[in-house]
Amino acid sequence: MITYLQNLSFWDWLALATLLLILEVFGAGGYLLWIGLVAVGVGALTYLLPELPWVWQFLLFATLALLSARLWWRHHHRARRLRN
């Protein structure tokens, strides 16, 4: 498993992004859309910097995924409050 993680490529991130976007279609309320786009971003960064260690890739993904989920929640909560 550690060997696989050490050899992550941008294709792995794009596959994760595709999976997340497919799952979003089934009704995740927008959260998986943004997390999928974060995976695309990490994949693009991995393409540009192929020597980026897998630990940094995961830390970047986790940080940006949490940030995007928080921002989406705030936007969704604010929009709901304005409708009522």
Side-chain angles (χ1 to χ4, degrees):
M1 181 70 165
I2 194 74
T3 304
Y4 177 75
L5 291 176
Q6 290 173 341
N7 296 315
L8 279 178
S9 71
F10 68 96
W11 289 112
D12 297 310
W13 289 107
L14 295 180
L16 175 63
T18 303
L19 177 66
L20 290 169
L21 294 174
I22 288 171
L23 291 174
E24 175 62 36
V25 171
F26 295 111
Y31 290 101
L32 294 180
L33 170 68
W34 298 108
I35 296 173
L37 291 177
V38 167
V40 169
V42 173
L45 188 65
T46 303
Y47 180 76
L48 295 173
L49 303 170
E51 297 301 317
L52 187 65
W54 67 271
V55 173
W56 285 105
Q57 292 176 35
F58 275 95
L59 286 173
L60 181 63
F61 176 74
T63 303
L64 292 176
L66 288 172
L67 180 65
S68 71
R70 173 74 175 144
L71 291 174
W72 175 248
W73 181 85
R74 283 184 59 199
H75 170 74
H76 189 66
H77 185 69
R78 212 176 267 155
R80 180 185 275 169
R81 195 172 9 162
L82 290 176
R83 282 186 290 196
N84 293 332

